[in-house]
Amino acid sequence: AQSVTQLGSHVSVSEGALVLLRCNYSSSVPPYLFWYVQYPNQGLQLLLKYTSAATLVKGINGFEAEFKKSETSFHRTKPSAHMSDAAEYFCAVSEGGNTPLVFGKGTRLSVIA
Amino acid sequence: GAGVSQSPSNKVTEKGKDVELRCDPISGHTALYWYRQSLGQGLEFLIYFQGNSAPDKSGLPSDRFSAERTGGSVSTLTIQRTQQEDSAVYLCASSLDGTEDTEAFFGQGTRLTVV
């Protein structure tokens, strides 16, 4: 069965600094990978997805994520953090074929002025 | 509808009572998912529907939990004899056909508090 590990339940960065949110997965078949964001008191919103096309996926607001099969990773980065990036971020994996998304435990990003 | 709608948004119940949580998916979406979000535990998969059938019930934590979906639309998650450990945010999501190419849209959840 597939699984996701997000290293760091809480990441704190200064405004303008690099943001790195880590995600490692386990899957018995080529995976489909996703990043979701959750703002306080709101539902989850899809930010990025990898479905076997380009390994570098670009999302909104300058975030991007890179699929590395050799490292079983799908880390998410942004060169310069903004205050509005503060939220909780979830990485998820699916094995396709109508299997449900399996989520990591989430990483809460704080941005310090 | 415009999005996935869940009701109630908040529910406080006494230990031992039964509760029903409702999810209205986006019109035309055949796949529907229930997740539970507890503090520090991330999102825990509960059950998945394709149409009215549930090919994957593996995440239901106990036999106190059950779910049904009627008419390929509305779904109800029922928790019988609630316990304090059932307190969490219950999230529902739907997608067009459940394949990896279709996005899952989430509702804002039902916050359940068992006292």
Side-chain angles (χ1 to χ4, degrees):
Chain A
Q2 67 271 43
S3 66
V4 174
T5 301
Q6 290 185 244
L7 296 175
S9 59
H10 185 204
V11 170
S12 184
V13 301
S14 298
E15 192 173 20
L18 171 72
V19 179
L20 171 61
L21 304 179
R22 299 179 185 273
C23 172
N24 287 87
Y25 70 90
S26 172
S27 176
S28 58
V29 300
Y32 301 91
L33 297 158
F34 306 81
W35 276 101
Y36 280 81
V37 65
Q38 186 178 34
Y39 296 100
N41 300 315
Q42 295 188 26
L44 276 75
Q45 301 170 41
L46 178 67
L47 289 174
L48 298 167
K49 67 178 179 181
Y50 165 76
T51 57
S52 77
T55 57
L56 183 63
V57 183
K58 294 186 183 293
I60 59 175
N61 297 332
F63 274 102
E64 59 185 35
E66 185 173 9
F67 170 67
K68 291 187 178 180
K69 182 178 179 181
S70 61
E71 298 178 7
T72 61
S73 70
F74 191 53
H75 302 331
R76 190 157 177 267
T77 60
K78 182 176 181 180
S80 177
H82 191 273
M83 297 297 287
S84 62
D85 296 329
E88 186 144 21
Y89 293 85
F90 293 91
C91 182
V93 63
S94 169
E95 293 186 338
N98 294 328
T99 59
L101 287 171
V102 173
F103 285 85
K105 293 189 175 183
T107 297
R108 184 161 60 89
L109 175 65
S110 298
V111 181
I112 303 167
Chain B
V4 177
S5 177
Q6 292 187 245
S7 61
S9 54
N10 280 284
K11 176 72 175 177
V12 180
T13 190
E14 292 181 352
K15 178 181 174 181
K17 301 275 185 153
D18 298 350
V19 294
E20 282 190 356
L21 312 180
R22 177 187 168 104
C23 174
D24 281 273
I26 293 173
S27 178
H29 281 195
T30 63
L32 186 147
Y33 312 83
W34 282 100
Y35 289 86
R36 179 168 69 176
Q37 185 175 22
S38 306
L39 190 63
Q41 296 300 313
L43 275 79
E44 175 188 9
F45 168 74
L46 297 178
I47 189 170
Y48 158 66
F49 287 93
Q50 183 61 258
N52 290 335
S53 64
D56 192 341
K57 303 181 183 179
S58 62
L60 294 177
S62 77
D63 59 6
R64 296 187 294 106
F65 287 72
S66 62
E68 65 175 14
R69 188 179 186 194
T70 55
S73 181
V74 172
S75 176
T76 302
L77 177 68
T78 301
I79 309 173
Q80 295 179 308
R81 304 181 303 282
T82 52
Q83 303 295 314
Q84 288 187 327
E85 61 262 29
D86 300 334
S87 297
V89 176
Y90 289 82
L91 292 169
C92 176
S94 71
S95 68
L96 189 61
D97 57 14
T99 66
E100 60 277 1
D101 287 332
T102 58
E103 178 181 347
F105 293 84
F106 282 79
Q108 294 199 354
T110 294
R111 182 177 297 277
L112 176 66
T113 304
V114 181
V115 298

